[in-house]
Amino acid sequence: MKIARGLAALPLIAISAPSAAAGEVNPAGSGPIVSALLWLQGTLLGNVATAVAVIAVAMVGFMMLTGRMNWRFGATVIIGCFILFGAGAIVSGIQSAAAAG
């Protein structure tokens, strides 16, 4: 379970780092780092994330079907999917709130 908590924060880190770097001038020599983070963001929000989300939702559905549903795990999967696929909108909302205040 500790690994899952660590992995849950990974998409947020991958999304927020390139977004923060895009708004500012990149320092000299940071091109490869920014490129690597953009690649990681594309990988985590592309086919990999979709496949993992489909498998997780299928696992929750199968657990419900067999009567072994752990509601905490089910809620974690659903909230994780919302955070993963809605991360861009979440970051945009935070940035607009910070700019207005």
Side-chain angles (χ1 to χ4, degrees), residues 78-94:
I78 300 301
I79 291 171
C81 289
F82 278 120
I83 290 174
L84 179 64
F85 295 114
I90 293 169
V91 170
S92 297
I94 292 171

Side-chain angles (χ1 to χ4, degrees):
M1 192 66 183
K2 291 181 183 179
I3 294 173
R5 289 182 185 163
L7 291 176
L10 189 59
L12 295 176
I13 294 169
I15 303 254
S16 63
S19 297
E24 301 173 2
V25 176
N26 295 329
S30 68
I33 295 170
V34 172
S35 298
L37 288 175
L38 288 174
W39 173 82
L40 183 63
Q41 176 186 6
T43 301
L44 288 175
L45 290 178
N47 296 333
V48 174
T50 305
V52 170
V54 167
I55 291 170
V57 170
M59 284 176 39
V60 169
F62 184 72
M63 288 170 55
M64 289 175 72
L65 197 69
T66 58
R68 300 178 189 174
M69 181 63 193
N70 179 357
W71 291 101
R72 182 175 286 179
F73 176 71
T76 303
V77 168
I78 300 301
I79 291 171
C81 289
F82 278 120
I83 290 174
L84 179 64
F85 295 114
I90 293 169
V91 170
S92 297
I94 292 171
Q95 286 178 341
S96 66

